[in-house]
Amino acid sequence: MKAALIYLLLVVGGLFLGVATLPVGALLVENISVEGWRSNWSIGLKQTNPYTRAYVSVFGLLGLPKSEAVYFTRGYDDDGELLHGDCVYEMTGTAQAGQWWSITLYDRWGYLPINNGQALSVDATGLGNSPDTSWRTVISDKRPDDGAVWLSADAVDNFELTLRIYKPSAALLADPKQAFNPPSLKRKSCTGE
Amino acid sequence: MSWKKAAIAILIPAIGIHLFLLFQTPRLVMGQVFDRLQADGFQKYHFRSSEPATPDNQPVVRPSPDLAYALCWFDLSEGPVEIRGGMWDGYGSLAVFNANTDVVFFTSLTRADAESGGVVLAHTGDSANVMSTQIRQTELPVVLLDAPMGVALIRRLAPTNTLFAAARRVGQNDVCTQLDG
């Protein structure tokens, strides 16, 4: 009886071990990282690596293949600190290597924050995408007084930004580290500082 | 108990559950999608346009406020299906996903790209019927799927209210219909 109980505990422990090691497989997923912006070129493609397939099914479900759109996410500022709704950030950038782009703010779970600022996304329509494009936005919980383009971080603690580039250029797909123009994200202040 | 027996008692279930979840995750995730679609009243063989993604309306993770979506789900065990999207002046696309989350078909719906804009889907077991007259008359490519269930997702770039309303009007021409096999 005692031996059976021990075996049962070992088996249960094994099951937990098997489940707990699944996230470790995320290390096998080939992510692209350029100055804090991360992407996965496997979204929307049938992959042979089972870890990549599982990862994409959870984090990139029904996503477009890279020939149609690429998605970069960022959860840290230029100093490597987690993005937080209690802080004010200045995000600057230029044109993107594609036909159109947008940057959307999500909470840590991947959902739009529950606020009514109607300022959860900025895009090429408003900020431009010509070769001489240079843009600036402010990310904060309140609309900036200087009239700057605003991304609302109201009612959110840690958040992430997702940059979508539709119809990415061949150069971007071939060599993202060279062709991607990563927006900069500088923390200006935080509540309590 | 020897350490070898203990190691076996741990490793076999660990490896077993690990591999099971690893290979089944895509199918399990899509299973949840189908369950959610049915629970939300999505009919099969009918494109349903989404409302704009807002904090009050986000049925999926990372919804894009830039896009107008339309989704149709189908079960090919009930026969082949024609799927076709209305053409759009801006960026537009039609993608079909199988029950394993794989993209099994993709076409542009951007008018300037002049692609087919549609597809006929049939279950692999129906291969003898895919040359039926009705299917040939669609003049669309035919794709066979091993698993019968899947979803078709249309995206149209519509970052303004005006464009979103226009995309929904175009979406009235989207087709997701059963064909005679």
Side-chain angles (χ1 to χ4, degrees), chain A residues 77-99:
Chain A
D77 63 23
D78 286 350
D79 294 325
E81 299 291 328
L82 282 171
L83 299 176
H84 198 283
D86 286 345
C87 299
V88 177
Y89 301 91
E90 180 182 72
M91 183 167 60
T92 56
T94 58
Q96 293 300 328
Q99 288 188 6

Side-chain angles (χ1 to χ4, degrees), chain B residues 151-166:
Chain B
V151 301
L153 182 62
I154 288 176
R155 293 171 166 94
R156 295 183 177 96
L157 190 60
T160 66
N161 292 338
T162 302
L163 283 172
F164 196 92

Side-chain angles (χ1 to χ4, degrees), chain A residues 105 111-120, chain B residues 52-59 63 65:
Chain A
L105 189 150
Y111 289 97
L112 300 170
I114 308 301
N115 67 51
N116 56 9
Q118 296 186 327
L120 291 170
Chain B
T54 66
D56 296 324
N57 177 46
Q58 36 187 337

Side-chain angles (χ1 to χ4, degrees), chain A residues 34-112:
Chain A
V34 184
E35 295 190 26
W37 293 92
R38 301 187 68 194
S39 184
N40 187 301
W41 262 204
S42 304
I43 291 176
L45 300 177
K46 187 172 182 179
Q47 296 297 312
T48 56
N49 180 330
Y51 289 100
T52 300
R53 297 191 74 231
Y55 176 89
V56 170
S57 72
V58 174
F59 296 104
L61 183 64
L62 305 187
L64 289 166
K66 64 181 181 182
S67 59
E68 296 299 308
V70 293
Y71 311 86
F72 287 87
T73 60
R74 180 167 184 174
Y76 299 84
D77 63 23
D78 286 350
D79 294 325
E81 299 291 328
L82 282 171
L83 299 176
H84 198 283
D86 286 345
C87 299
V88 177
Y89 301 91
E90 180 182 72
M91 183 167 60
T92 56
T94 58
Q96 293 300 328
Q99 288 188 6
W100 196 86
W101 61 269
S102 69
I103 299 176
T104 306
L105 189 150
Y106 298 100
D107 66 20
R108 72 170 82 180
W109 306 114
Y111 289 97
L112 300 170

Side-chain angles (χ1 to χ4, degrees), chain B residues 23 28 32 35 45 54 64 66 70 85 87 101 105 112 117-118 135 137 140 148 150 154 156-157 161 166 169 174 177:
Chain B
F23 286 96
L28 291 172
Q32 288 188 325
D35 290 344
Y45 318 118
T54 66
S64 172
D66 321 315
M87 289 295 162
T101 73
F105 179 79
I135 290 174
Q137 285 176 342
L140 292 173
I154 288 176
R156 295 183 177 96
L157 190 60
N161 292 338
R169 287 194 296 273
D174 298 335
T177 186

Side-chain angles (χ1 to χ4, degrees), chain A residues 3 6-7 10-11 13-19 21-22 44-47 50-51 53-54 57-59 61-65 67-69 71 73 99-100 102 104 106-107 109-115 120-123 125 160 162 164 166-167, chain B residues 1 5-7 9-11 13-15 17-19 21-23 25-26 29-30 33 53-67 69 71 91-93 95 97-98 100-103 106 108 110 113 151 153 155 157 159-160:
Chain A
I6 292 174
Y7 270 117
L10 290 173
V11 167
L15 291 173
F16 274 113
L17 179 65
V19 174
T21 51
L22 276 171
L45 300 177
K46 187 172 182 179
Q47 296 297 312
Y51 289 100
R53 297 191 74 231
S57 72
V58 174
F59 296 104
L61 183 64
L62 305 187
L64 289 166
S67 59
E68 296 299 308
Y71 311 86
T73 60
Q99 288 188 6
W100 196 86
S102 69
T104 306
Y106 298 100
D107 66 20
W109 306 114
Y111 289 97
L112 300 170
I114 308 301
N115 67 51
L120 291 170
S121 185
V122 294
D123 57 54
T125 300
E160 288 186 342
T162 294
R164 294 176 168 89
Y166 294 92
K167 289 293 194 182
Chain B
M1 175 186 298
K5 288 182 180 176
I10 291 175
L11 288 177
I15 293 171
I17 192 74
H18 186 98
L19 293 178
L21 290 176
L22 181 66
F23 286 96
T25 291
V29 169
M30 278 302 280
V33 170
T54 66
D56 296 324
N57 177 46
Q58 36 187 337
V60 295
V61 68
R62 284 198 165 76
S64 172
D66 321 315
L67 296 172
Y69 297 96
L71 185 144
Y91 174 85
S93 66
F97 300 84
N98 68 9
N100 221 20
T101 73
D102 300 320
V103 176
F106 185 91
S108 170
T110 301
D113 292 341
V151 301
L153 182 62
R155 293 171 166 94
L157 190 60
T160 66

